[in-house]
């Protein structure tokens, strides 16, 4: 049996239109811990959806999973596991202080994959508006940047938004 023309191969994903007219591109990654993993992108037209869908396919092929974890989730995980092994106890206390005071309130609720340089710049501005010195702004930036370097190494994000901005 020959494949139907225009049909995608197994695991390549699908594009379809919902009843409300929205176009959806979805890639099925199977089952993980009893939950089906199907990342998707949406757009009002098929023409707008195509580049988003191709980008999603590239991320899946590269192993970069855009899950629903937030910057706060990742920063907490990074502090508890990675930083706890690499820095002294007193340094870890300082990192946690910066995280809870400045980083988490500013960017903690943003999805990790959606973090952009403008969010990091907004965090800097919030700190400056509160009267913080430039050294404090740089230190908070450094902590966020290091956490995102590890996220990039573990393929949780495709880019490090803090590395693209200057404190």
């Amino acid at each position: 049996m020959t494949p139907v023309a225009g049909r995608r191969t197994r695991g390549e994903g699908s594009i379809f239109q919902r009843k409300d007219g929205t176009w959806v591109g979805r890639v099925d990654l199977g089952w993980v811990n009893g939950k089906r993993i199907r990342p998707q992108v949406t757009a009002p037209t098929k023409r707008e959806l195509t580049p988003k869908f191709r980008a999603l396919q590239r991320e899946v092929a590269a192993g970069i999973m855009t899950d629903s974890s937030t910057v706060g989730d990742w920063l907490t995980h990074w502090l508890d596991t990675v930083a706890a092994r690499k820095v002294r106890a007193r340094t870890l206390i300082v990192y946690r202080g910066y995280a809870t005071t400045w980083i988490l309130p500013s960017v903690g609720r943003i999805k990790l994959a959606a973090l952009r340089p403008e969010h990091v710049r907004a965090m800097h501005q919030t700190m400056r508006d509160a009267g913080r010195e430039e050294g404090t702004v740089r230190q908070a930036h450094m902590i966020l940047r290091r956490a995102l370097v590890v996220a990039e190494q573990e393929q949780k994000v495709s880019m490090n938004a803090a590395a693209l901005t200057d404190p």
Side-chain angles (χ1 to χ4, degrees):
M1 186 167 151
T2 60
V4 177
R7 209 176 151 96
R8 297 181 191 285
T9 59
R10 186 170 176 85
E12 194 177 4
S14 62
I15 293 178
F16 60 93
Q17 190 175 20
R18 292 181 183 157
K19 289 181 182 178
D20 67 359
T22 303
W23 284 86
V24 179
R26 183 181 289 163
V27 178
D28 191 354
L29 300 178
W31 296 81
V32 177
N33 297 328
K35 185 177 180 184
R36 194 165 189 182
I37 307 298
R38 292 190 293 187
Q40 70 179 24
V41 290
T42 60
T45 65
K46 190 172 182 180
R47 174 172 269 156
E48 293 176 49
L49 178 73
T50 304
K52 290 181 177 183
F53 183 64
R54 287 191 182 131
L56 176 64
Q57 287 176 317
R58 280 193 301 274
E59 287 178 359
V60 167
I64 299 169
M65 273 308 302
T66 54
D67 60 7
S68 62
S69 62
T70 63
V71 174
D73 296 337
W74 175 255
L75 189 62
T76 303
H77 167 76
W78 178 77
L79 286 168
D80 293 341
T81 58
V82 179
R85 288 182 286 122
K86 296 193 178 226
V87 298
R88 294 180 178 162
R90 177 68 186 141
T91 304
L92 188 61
I93 291 169
V94 171
Y95 282 11
R96 286 185 196 282
Y98 276 94
T100 57
T101 307
W102 300 110
I103 302 170
L104 294 176
S106 296
V107 296
R109 290 190 180 127
I110 299 169
K111 293 204 185 273
L112 190 58
L115 185 67
R116 298 286 173 256
E118 54 267 19
H119 298 124
V120 178
R121 284 191 290 272
M123 179 186 78
H124 297 158
Q125 194 57 47
T126 301
M127 293 178 73
R128 288 184 185 106
D129 291 345
R132 297 298 125 197
E133 297 291 329
E134 287 302 310
T136 305
V137 175
R138 280 194 303 275
Q139 182 69 15
H141 179 87
M142 184 277 308
I143 293 166
L144 179 61
R145 181 178 177 159
R146 184 63 197 140
L148 293 175
V149 163
V150 176
E152 198 172 22
Q153 289 169 348
E154 294 186 9
Q155 297 185 333
K156 301 287 184 186
V157 293
S158 56
M159 69 165 184
N160 183 341
L164 300 174
T165 60
D166 291 326

